[in-house]
């Protein structure tokens, strides 16, 4: 199964993620969330949602915790995120930290000293580029941390609102993806999808940070995706349009983010094909990074 088919097959993974989140939740106490690549962006989402609810949390790349285990002194538990369960940096970090650890993955048989392993088996992928595994893990973390009931509507909304043509966005010479809060993590993931599959210049920024330098790059050949979640972003949208950007405004609130992400995933696949690339076999990449 290829990238496009796996994106369109997301609802099954989303349903399972919501069920498992209601059943298992997440550990209590000050939490260090770890991941590499796409999984690190998930860790950032989880840390933000935890902090918003008064829980001490930090997100780090697994490699950073592996190299500098002293960063974990303030934490009592680790939540590792790895689609394959085999990411070397994560496994070594957990071993070096010596803290109770959970793993959120899509495959059975994960190795390592994990007290609990949550397997999102319906979100398994064959494609190298992560799509439904990311959005399913996002839903698991979001529902476990917030209990937001509108998230439970998303599998059926996907079926009713998305199809294989949900990628009709403008193209340009460069792409910026902007968001705040959980939408910042999703913006970073969407930028990575564009880089991996279409080999284009794509960067993500916290939305209000974009004014602090990067906006100098905006011209008529710049596409800006704004994942909107705060009223202050309205002024930013008007400013970007005045600068000539091809502005795409997408919902960036928690119950809307998985749908916006799926549209951006489909766009990345489409853009790769437009550029004569094979999105199912991205250059230099493998399914899991094992050192």
């Amino acid at each position: 199964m290829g990238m496009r088919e796996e994106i369109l097959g997301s609802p099954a993974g989303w349903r399972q993620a919501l069920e498992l989140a209601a059943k298992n939740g997440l550990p209590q106490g000050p939490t260090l969330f770890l991941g590499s690549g796409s999984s690190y962006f998930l860790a950032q989402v989880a840390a933000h949602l935890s902090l918003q609810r008064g829980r001490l949390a930090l997100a780090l790349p697994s490699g950073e915790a592996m190299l500098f285990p002293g960063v974990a002194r303030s934490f009592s538990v680790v939540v590792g995120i790895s689609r394959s369960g085999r990411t070397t940096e994560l496994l070594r970090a957990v071993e070096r930290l010596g803290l109770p650890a959970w793993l959120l993955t899509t495959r059975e048989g994960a190795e390592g000293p994990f007290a609990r392993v949550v397997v999102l088996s319906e979100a398994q992928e064959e494609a190298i580029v992560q799509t439904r595994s990311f959005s399913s893990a996002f839903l698991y973390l979001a529902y476990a941390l917030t209990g937001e009931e509108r998230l439970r509507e998303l599998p059926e909304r996907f079926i009713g609102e998305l199809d294989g043509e949900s990628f009709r966005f403008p193209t340009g010479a460069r792409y910026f993806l902007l968001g705040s809060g959980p939408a910042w993590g999703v913006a970073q993931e969407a930028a990575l999808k564009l880089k991996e599959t279409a080999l284009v210049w794509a960067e993500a920024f916290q939305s209000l940070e974009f004014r602090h330098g990067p906006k100098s790059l905006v011209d008529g050949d710049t596409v800006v995706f704004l994942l909107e979640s705060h009223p202050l972003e309205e002024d930013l949208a008007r400013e970007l349009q005045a600068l000539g950007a091809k502005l795409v405004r997408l919902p960036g609130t928690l119950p809307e983010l998985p749908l916006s992400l799926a549209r951006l995933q489909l766009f990345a696949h489409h853009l790769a094909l437009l550029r004569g690339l094979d999105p199912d076999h991205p250059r230099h990449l493998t399914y899991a990074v094992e050192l």
Side-chain angles (χ1 to χ4, degrees):
M1 185 182 296
M3 176 183 171
R4 181 177 181 276
E5 291 73 24
E6 288 176 344
I7 298 167
L8 295 176
S10 295
W14 291 9
R15 291 189 192 97
Q16 183 190 44
L18 292 163
E19 292 169 4
L20 290 176
K23 176 182 176 181
N24 296 298
L26 286 168
Q28 299 299 308
T31 304
L32 180 62
F33 292 95
L34 298 180
S36 296
S38 296
S39 296
Y40 171 51
F41 306 142
L42 286 166
Q44 288 179 291
V45 169
H48 174 87
L49 293 175
S50 297
L51 290 167
Q52 283 280 81
R53 282 148 187 82
R55 296 176 53 174
L56 179 62
L58 176 68
L60 285 176
S62 301
E64 187 75 358
M66 178 185 74
L67 295 173
F68 304 103
V71 299
R73 291 193 184 98
S74 299
F75 301 94
S76 60
V77 64
V78 175
V79 173
I81 307 164
S82 170
R83 172 178 67 164
S84 67
R86 306 196 310 263
T87 305
T88 300
E89 294 101 320
L90 176 62
L91 298 177
R92 291 181 182 173
V94 170
E95 290 172 357
R96 294 200 68 186
L97 294 173
L99 295 172
W102 285 36
L103 174 67
L104 183 61
T105 185
T106 66
R107 294 188 176 271
E108 301 280 359
E111 300 178 357
F114 295 104
R116 180 173 293 186
V117 178
V118 178
V119 181
L120 305 177
S121 57
E122 293 293 334
Q124 278 191 28
E125 294 163 332
E126 298 173 12
I128 290 175
V129 173
Q130 290 194 43
T131 54
R132 68 181 178 190
S133 64
F134 183 98
S135 57
S136 297
F138 178 97
L139 277 174
Y140 182 98
L141 294 165
Y143 193 66
L145 288 166
T146 71
E148 171 58 70
E149 282 301 310
R150 286 177 294 174
L151 294 170
R152 300 187 66 87
E153 303 168 2
L154 286 173
E156 297 309 315
R157 286 190 58 197
F158 185 106
I159 294 170
E161 297 178 24
L162 271 76
D163 57 31
E165 301 301 311
S166 300
F167 52 74
R168 296 303 182 188
F169 300 133
T171 60
R174 65 198 66 83
Y175 299 83
F176 293 110
L177 296 102
L178 312 181
S180 303
W184 185 19
V186 170
Q188 292 175 83
E189 170 62 7
L192 181 60
K193 293 289 91 67
L194 290 170
K195 292 175 186 176
E196 291 175 321
T197 57
L199 304 182
V200 295
W201 179 7
E203 300 294 338
F205 294 91
Q206 196 279 345
S207 55
L208 302 186
E209 282 290 299
F210 193 66
R211 290 189 176 102
H212 295 265
K215 75 172 185 179
S216 65
L217 293 163
V218 174
D219 60 20
D221 209 15
T222 302
V223 180
V224 179
F225 293 97
L226 177 60
L227 294 163
E228 296 179 290
S229 61
H230 194 281
L232 286 178
E233 291 167 331
E234 179 66 36
D235 288 341
L236 176 63
R238 287 195 290 267
E239 187 175 338
L240 292 170
Q241 286 179 314
L243 292 172
K246 300 175 184 178
L247 181 65
V248 179
R249 303 170 70 167
L250 293 170
T253 57
L254 192 65
E256 301 289 340
L257 272 171
L259 296 174
S260 294
L261 174 61
R263 289 185 169 91
L264 289 165
Q265 291 170 342
L266 287 166
F267 176 65
H269 182 274
H270 172 67
L271 188 58
L273 295 178
L274 285 180
R275 290 172 56 82
L277 301 168
D278 181 357
D280 294 329
H281 298 91
R283 191 169 68 182
H284 308 322
L285 301 183
T286 58
Y287 186 87
V289 177
E290 298 179 75
L291 305 178

